[in-house]
Amino acid sequence: IKNNNPFKKLNDEIFVYVAKKQKEIDELKRLEQFRREFLADVSHELKTPIFAAQGFIHTLIDGAVDDEFVRDKFLAKAARSLDGLDALVKDLVALSQLETGEIRMHLERVDIYQITLEIFEQLENIAEAKGITLRIKSSLQRSDVIRADVARLGAARPDAARTDLQGPVWVMADPQRITQVMTNLIENGIKYGNDAGKVVVSFADDKKHISISVRDDGPGIAPEHLSRIFERFYRVEKSRSKERGGTGLGLAIVKHILNAHKSKITVMSKPDKGTMFRFKLEKAVETEL
Ligand code: ADP
């Protein structure tokens, strides 16, 4: 009787249908909740630089403009706030596109070693201002890696003194996005690292992957904050992060980009010893040798 019951089949179908619809409703609710929270966070974050710039400009209009010293100071401060706003809007656009899956990754064969050197060059000034040394280290197993004679190359090429390895290191990645990941991590190392410290990018490998780590010897991150630093707008010390030009979105963007590369980032940190971020990318086969 059981098997021939025509209502049983219908009942099962209805049950499956209802469960499916319920899942869709839950997903919509989750998205709606996310959207509401995101909007609240964003408007809060946007207000800060806007209010600051407005304050300086209105004070100038109200007469402060006549004092040359105050004028220059306030104009510089207003410009800084607007630069912060610009960085925030750029990060927000990137993050929202990543979160909604709008950005497609274009995976290709990229030389992560070269990308790192280029980022070092771009961040040279802010590193130098803090007396921070930027280095590349390698523990690659590959036989084709030519170890640079640091002293010899150091004399010929200033770059080479920074590295115990000559590239390339080929990985499969979206070049633009992986540049953003590396920039955010290296920049954080410089921003939050100690004066006269070091930021070191290391490459290691196994059969299929290149493991990339970025570490500093700065003050580190306390364990209670460690699991939260990848959340958008989460900052360990709000004022210190903002003062250093942070948007609070850097690591959230890093996490999403790596996610889209099917990679996960891990962080290890010891107070007063430093912080290390690490992730893996798929090796790209070397075709030209
Ligand atoms: P921000 O724009 O504020 O730098 P991030 O998302 O890049 O935002 O980082 C989130 C927070 O994690 C930072 O505000 C900072 O408190 C902490 N943090 C990130 N990287 C480091 C690091 N290398 N050393 C110490 N703290 C760090």
mmCIF file of all heavy atoms in Angstrom, residues 240-259:
data_model
loop_
_atom_site.group_PDB
_atom_site.id
_atom_site.type_symbol
_atom_site.label_atom_id
_atom_site.label_comp_id
_atom_site.label_asym_id
_atom_site.label_seq_id
_atom_site.Cartn_x
_atom_site.Cartn_y
_atom_site.Cartn_z
ATOM 1 N N ARG A 240 44.617 54.957 15.314
ATOM 2 C CA ARG A 240 45.927 54.751 14.730
ATOM 3 C C ARG A 240 45.814 54.329 13.268
ATOM 4 O O ARG A 240 46.555 54.758 12.410
ATOM 5 C CB ARG A 240 46.714 53.701 15.516
ATOM 6 C CG ARG A 240 48.200 53.861 15.272
ATOM 7 C CD ARG A 240 49.012 53.156 16.284
ATOM 8 N NE ARG A 240 48.893 51.721 16.123
ATOM 9 C CZ ARG A 240 49.804 50.870 16.554
ATOM 10 N NH1 ARG A 240 50.865 51.302 17.167
ATOM 11 N NH2 ARG A 240 49.634 49.586 16.382
ATOM 12 N N SER A 241 44.824 53.478 12.982
ATOM 13 C CA SER A 241 44.632 53.015 11.613
ATOM 14 C C SER A 241 44.250 54.174 10.694
ATOM 15 O O SER A 241 44.759 54.309 9.590
ATOM 16 C CB SER A 241 43.569 51.924 11.583
ATOM 17 O OG SER A 241 42.984 51.860 10.323
ATOM 18 N N LYS A 242 43.332 55.027 11.172
ATOM 19 C CA LYS A 242 42.876 56.146 10.330
ATOM 20 C C LYS A 242 43.995 57.137 10.100
ATOM 21 O O LYS A 242 44.165 57.656 9.003
ATOM 22 C CB LYS A 242 41.685 56.830 10.972
ATOM 23 C CG LYS A 242 40.435 56.014 10.778
ATOM 24 C CD LYS A 242 39.201 56.839 10.967
ATOM 25 C CE LYS A 242 37.994 56.025 10.542
ATOM 26 N NZ LYS A 242 36.759 56.563 11.054
ATOM 27 N N GLU A 243 44.761 57.378 11.149
ATOM 28 C CA GLU A 243 45.861 58.327 11.060
ATOM 29 C C GLU A 243 46.865 57.846 10.014
ATOM 30 O O GLU A 243 47.514 58.631 9.343
ATOM 31 C CB GLU A 243 46.470 58.400 12.467
ATOM 32 C CG GLU A 243 47.738 59.152 12.657
ATOM 33 C CD GLU A 243 48.390 58.663 13.963
ATOM 34 O OE1 GLU A 243 47.670 58.564 14.982
ATOM 35 O OE2 GLU A 243 49.574 58.355 13.926
ATOM 36 N N ARG A 244 46.973 56.544 9.850
ATOM 37 C CA ARG A 244 47.893 55.995 8.853
ATOM 38 C C ARG A 244 47.243 55.805 7.488
ATOM 39 O O ARG A 244 47.743 55.092 6.630
ATOM 40 C CB ARG A 244 48.451 54.659 9.355
ATOM 41 C CG ARG A 244 49.357 54.885 10.518
ATOM 42 C CD ARG A 244 49.654 53.633 11.290
ATOM 43 N NE ARG A 244 50.174 54.041 12.599
ATOM 44 C CZ ARG A 244 51.144 53.450 13.238
ATOM 45 N NH1 ARG A 244 51.714 52.407 12.722
ATOM 46 N NH2 ARG A 244 51.538 53.886 14.406
ATOM 47 N N GLY A 245 46.074 56.385 7.329
ATOM 48 C CA GLY A 245 45.431 56.374 6.024
ATOM 49 C C GLY A 245 44.662 55.100 5.712
ATOM 50 O O GLY A 245 44.362 54.818 4.563
ATOM 51 N N GLY A 246 44.339 54.328 6.727
ATOM 52 C CA GLY A 246 43.638 53.051 6.483
ATOM 53 C C GLY A 246 42.146 53.244 6.305
ATOM 54 O O GLY A 246 41.555 54.126 6.907
ATOM 55 N N THR A 247 41.551 52.390 5.441
ATOM 56 C CA THR A 247 40.105 52.461 5.253
ATOM 57 C C THR A 247 39.387 51.390 6.073
ATOM 58 O O THR A 247 38.173 51.411 6.194
ATOM 59 C CB THR A 247 39.732 52.223 3.778
ATOM 60 O OG1 THR A 247 40.148 50.897 3.414
ATOM 61 C CG2 THR A 247 40.383 53.235 2.864
ATOM 62 N N GLY A 248 40.147 50.443 6.587
ATOM 63 C CA GLY A 248 39.535 49.342 7.325
ATOM 64 C C GLY A 248 38.984 48.269 6.395
ATOM 65 O O GLY A 248 38.308 47.334 6.831
ATOM 66 N N LEU A 249 39.263 48.402 5.093
ATOM 67 C CA LEU A 249 38.715 47.447 4.128
ATOM 68 C C LEU A 249 39.795 46.574 3.491
ATOM 69 O O LEU A 249 39.487 45.587 2.812
ATOM 70 C CB LEU A 249 37.968 48.196 3.013
ATOM 71 C CG LEU A 249 36.717 48.957 3.462
ATOM 72 C CD1 LEU A 249 36.127 49.733 2.289
ATOM 73 C CD2 LEU A 249 35.680 47.999 4.021
ATOM 74 N N GLY A 250 41.058 46.938 3.701
ATOM 75 C CA GLY A 250 42.161 46.261 3.021
ATOM 76 C C GLY A 250 42.133 44.744 3.149
ATOM 77 O O GLY A 250 42.201 44.031 2.141
ATOM 78 N N LEU A 251 42.015 44.246 4.368
ATOM 79 C CA LEU A 251 42.086 42.796 4.558
ATOM 80 C C LEU A 251 40.799 42.092 4.115
ATOM 81 O O LEU A 251 40.848 40.936 3.687
ATOM 82 C CB LEU A 251 42.399 42.468 6.023
ATOM 83 C CG LEU A 251 43.828 42.808 6.470
ATOM 84 C CD1 LEU A 251 44.023 42.489 7.949
ATOM 85 C CD2 LEU A 251 44.859 42.039 5.646
ATOM 86 N N ALA A 252 39.662 42.804 4.194
ATOM 87 C CA ALA A 252 38.413 42.216 3.690
ATOM 88 C C ALA A 252 38.542 41.996 2.179
ATOM 89 O O ALA A 252 38.158 40.948 1.645
ATOM 90 C CB ALA A 252 37.231 43.122 4.004
ATOM 91 N N ILE A 253 39.145 42.957 1.498
ATOM 92 C CA ILE A 253 39.358 42.849 0.053
ATOM 93 C C ILE A 253 40.321 41.694 -0.245
ATOM 94 O O ILE A 253 40.070 40.866 -1.132
ATOM 95 C CB ILE A 253 39.885 44.187 -0.516
ATOM 96 C CG1 ILE A 253 38.764 45.233 -0.463
ATOM 97 C CG2 ILE A 253 40.418 44.033 -1.934
ATOM 98 C CD1 ILE A 253 39.173 46.635 -0.856
ATOM 99 N N VAL A 254 41.394 41.620 0.529
ATOM 100 C CA VAL A 254 42.372 40.529 0.355
ATOM 101 C C VAL A 254 41.687 39.165 0.470
ATOM 102 O O VAL A 254 41.875 38.280 -0.367
ATOM 103 C CB VAL A 254 43.491 40.653 1.430
ATOM 104 C CG1 VAL A 254 44.284 39.369 1.562
ATOM 105 C CG2 VAL A 254 44.418 41.822 1.091
ATOM 106 N N LYS A 255 40.867 39.021 1.510
ATOM 107 C CA LYS A 255 40.209 37.738 1.749
ATOM 108 C C LYS A 255 39.301 37.355 0.576
ATOM 109 O O LYS A 255 39.321 36.216 0.101
ATOM 110 C CB LYS A 255 39.386 37.828 3.037
ATOM 111 C CG LYS A 255 38.819 36.508 3.479
ATOM 112 C CD LYS A 255 38.037 36.662 4.753
ATOM 113 C CE LYS A 255 36.618 36.207 4.495
ATOM 114 N NZ LYS A 255 35.758 36.370 5.649
ATOM 115 N N HIS A 256 38.539 38.330 0.079
ATOM 116 C CA HIS A 256 37.621 38.053 -1.027
ATOM 117 C C HIS A 256 38.356 37.699 -2.308
ATOM 118 O O HIS A 256 37.947 36.792 -3.035
ATOM 119 C CB HIS A 256 36.708 39.250 -1.272
ATOM 120 C CG HIS A 256 35.536 39.256 -0.363
ATOM 121 N ND1 HIS A 256 34.464 38.403 -0.520
ATOM 122 C CD2 HIS A 256 35.280 39.972 0.748
ATOM 123 C CE1 HIS A 256 33.594 38.610 0.450
ATOM 124 N NE2 HIS A 256 34.070 39.562 1.234
ATOM 125 N N ILE A 257 39.422 38.433 -2.601
ATOM 126 C CA ILE A 257 40.169 38.150 -3.834
ATOM 127 C C ILE A 257 40.760 36.742 -3.762
ATOM 128 O O ILE A 257 40.666 35.963 -4.716
ATOM 129 C CB ILE A 257 41.291 39.190 -4.062
ATOM 130 C CG1 ILE A 257 40.672 40.554 -4.356
ATOM 131 C CG2 ILE A 257 42.213 38.762 -5.209
ATOM 132 C CD1 ILE A 257 41.682 41.679 -4.522
ATOM 133 N N LEU A 258 41.332 36.396 -2.611
ATOM 134 C CA LEU A 258 41.937 35.065 -2.500
ATOM 135 C C LEU A 258 40.875 33.975 -2.564
ATOM 136 O O LEU A 258 41.080 32.916 -3.145
ATOM 137 C CB LEU A 258 42.780 34.966 -1.226
ATOM 138 C CG LEU A 258 44.055 35.815 -1.298
ATOM 139 C CD1 LEU A 258 44.815 35.755 0.005
ATOM 140 C CD2 LEU A 258 44.961 35.364 -2.448
ATOM 141 N N ASN A 259 39.718 34.271 -1.965
ATOM 142 C CA ASN A 259 38.586 33.358 -2.057
ATOM 143 C C ASN A 259 38.264 33.028 -3.504
ATOM 144 O O ASN A 259 38.058 31.870 -3.871
ATOM 145 C CB ASN A 259 37.375 34.073 -1.448
ATOM 146 C CG ASN A 259 36.621 33.152 -0.541
ATOM 147 O OD1 ASN A 259 36.991 31.988 -0.402
ATOM 148 N ND2 ASN A 259 35.588 33.669 0.070
#
